[in-house]
Amino acid sequence: FIGYDAFIQWWFTEQWQLGLESTYQYHWTSATGPSTQYIASLLNMHWDVTKRLYLVLKYAFCWQTNAGNNFLNLTGAEQKLHEMSLGGAYYVADSAKIKFEWRTDIVNPKVGNTQYVYGAVVGFAYAF
């Protein structure tokens, strides 16, 4: 196994936060099966618009460069994945907030058609 993971989380103002993460892993096996190799990254932007409202923009990318083996396999196939979302929350009280998110995923396999998956969610969270 060879791999690395690096990240940074930085509030560059009192209202803006940047988060970055990147990972690489290579798992080799014996002569009985193939190896697995993948690269993944994440970009996260957080903006406190007001004390009651914040927005989050996220982008994640993953690339499994070969088909992989049965035991250490991230995506199950040789493919690229893109995940993008825009979300946030509005505090209706000190411990209660309404959360929302719109997300788009793109699955681009080496063999087969590219898939586009869209979704939206609204939720309510309360901390006791």
Side-chain angles (χ1 to χ4, degrees):
F1 166 76
I2 297 173
Y4 81 86
D5 186 74
F7 73 94
I8 184 172
Q9 184 176 356
W10 177 40
W11 283 93
F12 53 93
T13 72
E14 289 185 20
Q15 296 162 314
W16 286 91
Q17 179 190 35
L18 172 67
L20 300 169
E21 184 171 4
S22 180
T23 190
Y24 168 81
Q25 291 197 9
Y26 180 78
H27 301 272
W28 61 86
T29 58
S30 63
T32 61
S35 298
T36 302
Q37 176 176 250
Y38 51 85
I39 301 160
S41 295
L42 169 70
L43 167 68
N44 187 38
M45 293 287 297
H46 177 105
W47 176 32
D48 288 332
V49 180
T50 68
K51 290 186 180 197
R52 300 183 74 90
L53 173 68
Y54 70 83
L55 298 175
V56 176
L57 175 67
K58 293 183 274 186
Y59 173 74
F61 171 76
C62 176
W63 178 22
Q64 185 163 321
T65 62
N66 53 10
N69 58 50
N70 293 333
F71 303 105
L72 302 167
N73 201 340
L74 182 67
T75 68
E78 185 175 348
Q79 61 188 345
K80 295 176 184 173
L81 306 173
H82 303 271
E83 299 174 355
M84 299 155 279
S85 67
L86 175 63
Y90 180 75
Y91 287 91
V92 293
D94 288 341
S95 299
K97 63 183 171 181
I98 298 172
K99 299 171 70 173
F100 53 90
E101 183 174 355
W102 169 262
R103 179 168 160 172
T104 301
D105 294 351
I106 301 170
V107 179
N108 186 0
K110 182 176 181 182
V111 177
N113 296 327
T114 299
Q115 301 171 26
Y116 299 88
V117 182
Y118 307 99
V121 65
V122 174
F124 179 76
Y126 187 86
F128 293 98

